Amino acid sequence: MSLFERIGRLSVNGAREANERLALLGESVVCALSLLIHPRRFRFRDFLLAFQRAGYGGLPITICIGFLLGVILAFQTASVLKSFGVETFVANMLAIALFRELGPIITAVILAGRTGSSFAAEIGTMKVNEELDALTTMGLPPVRFLVLPRVAAAIAAMPVLTIFAELSGLVGGAIVLQVMGVPTVVFWRGVATSTTAFMILEGLTKGALFGLLVGLIGCLAGVRTQSSSDGVGLSTTSAVVWSIVAIAVTDGLLAVVTYVWGIGLNVSL
């Protein structure tokens, strides 16, 4: 196979894959808009089950990772700032980092690895067992029955998990500074001084957006599963990888937009 032929085949396969993804995304948007007109068609039982798995099931690992993240950040920053005698500002830096960036990102990565892969595996297994074809034959749209409840659960679970990750990170930082001789009252005073309602809302909004990306990518990867021996495994891997890539790209774009527009830049230390 020549180089040009290989490039042509890769281009055609990429265009076909992008077309399928856009078609599934468009169908999801249409079904979501139709549910606004007929909300009773939404499967609340499936939504609650998916929310329980994504939110309550992922709470322990989220709290653990958030706590360890706060401990690590506090140790790393305090070791540097202590030489200048301003280790009390660790609380301000930790609060800004967790509420604006690290809390939503770390929580989204956990959700992608735990819940997004689960969505892809569940729907992918149904695709291999031809259950999706059975739903289509009976006139039941798989997107409305399988995709939308899971996506809505991911969107609803992300802000909750983000709050617990941020609070556990702050607790970890407070413990570290307490060991270093900084009173707990001083730590929480610094957190309250540097934290604003807009900052918290910004982090929760990012979390909901990341949940939308993780839910959509995981479900779409499951719907596109190939009927082969390793189809489900490839879909699960694809869901996790593309979810993390989408989270990083989206967060970068949001950072550029907030910097250009000057949103939330007035932060006091």
Side-chain angles (χ1 to χ4, degrees), residues 97-123:
L98 286 175
F99 284 119
R100 296 196 63 173
E101 291 292 338
L102 295 181
I105 290 179
I106 294 300
T107 307
V109 172
I110 296 174
L111 188 75
R114 187 184 181 279
T115 305
S117 59
S118 175
F119 290 168
E122 291 175 359
I123 300 179

Side-chain angles (χ1 to χ4, degrees), residues 17-40:
E17 182 177 354
N19 185 28
E20 293 176 357
R21 290 179 181 273
L22 289 176
L24 290 173
L25 180 61
E27 185 178 356
S28 301
V29 173
V30 171
C31 289
L33 293 177
S34 65
L35 288 177
L36 296 178
I37 303 175
H38 305 284
R40 293 184 178 181

Side-chain angles (χ1 to χ4, degrees), residues 1-85:
M1 184 184 300
S2 64
L3 177 61
F4 293 102
E5 185 178 357
R6 186 175 302 175
I7 294 175
R9 289 191 177 184
L10 290 176
S11 301
V12 171
N13 292 334
R16 185 182 297 112
E17 182 177 354
N19 185 28
E20 293 176 357
R21 290 179 181 273
L22 289 176
L24 290 173
L25 180 61
E27 185 178 356
S28 301
V29 173
V30 171
C31 289
L33 293 177
S34 65
L35 288 177
L36 296 178
I37 303 175
H38 305 284
R40 293 184 178 181
R41 295 181 181 178
F42 184 71
R43 300 179 64 84
F44 285 99
R45 183 174 300 178
D46 294 342
F47 163 77
L48 293 177
L49 179 61
F51 179 80
Q52 179 183 3
R53 293 176 178 176
Y56 180 76
L59 197 57
I61 183 64
T62 302
I63 294 176
C64 180
I65 296 298
F67 177 81
L68 294 177
L69 180 64
V71 170
I72 294 171
L73 288 177
F75 267 120
Q76 294 294 333
T77 55
S79 61
V80 177
L81 296 180
K82 190 174 183 180
S83 59
F84 298 97

Side-chain angles (χ1 to χ4, degrees), residues 155-235:
I155 296 173
M158 265 298 298
V160 178
L161 294 176
T162 301
I163 291 175
F164 279 96
E166 293 167 350
L167 292 179
S168 59
L170 292 177
V171 171
I175 294 175
V176 171
L177 291 185
Q178 179 70 29
V179 173
M180 292 185 174
V182 179
T184 306
V185 177
V186 176
F187 175 86
W188 291 111
R189 185 180 301 167
V191 171
T193 302
S194 59
T195 304
T196 61
F198 178 83
M199 187 184 301
I200 298 175
L201 182 61
E202 179 186 2
L204 297 181
T205 304
K206 281 186 179 181
L209 180 59
F210 294 158
L212 172 64
L213 294 175
V214 171
L216 275 178
I217 294 175
C219 292
L220 295 182
V223 172
R224 296 186 62 255
T225 301
Q226 302 295 326
S227 299
S228 59
S229 58
D230 58 347
V232 177
L234 292 176
S235 297

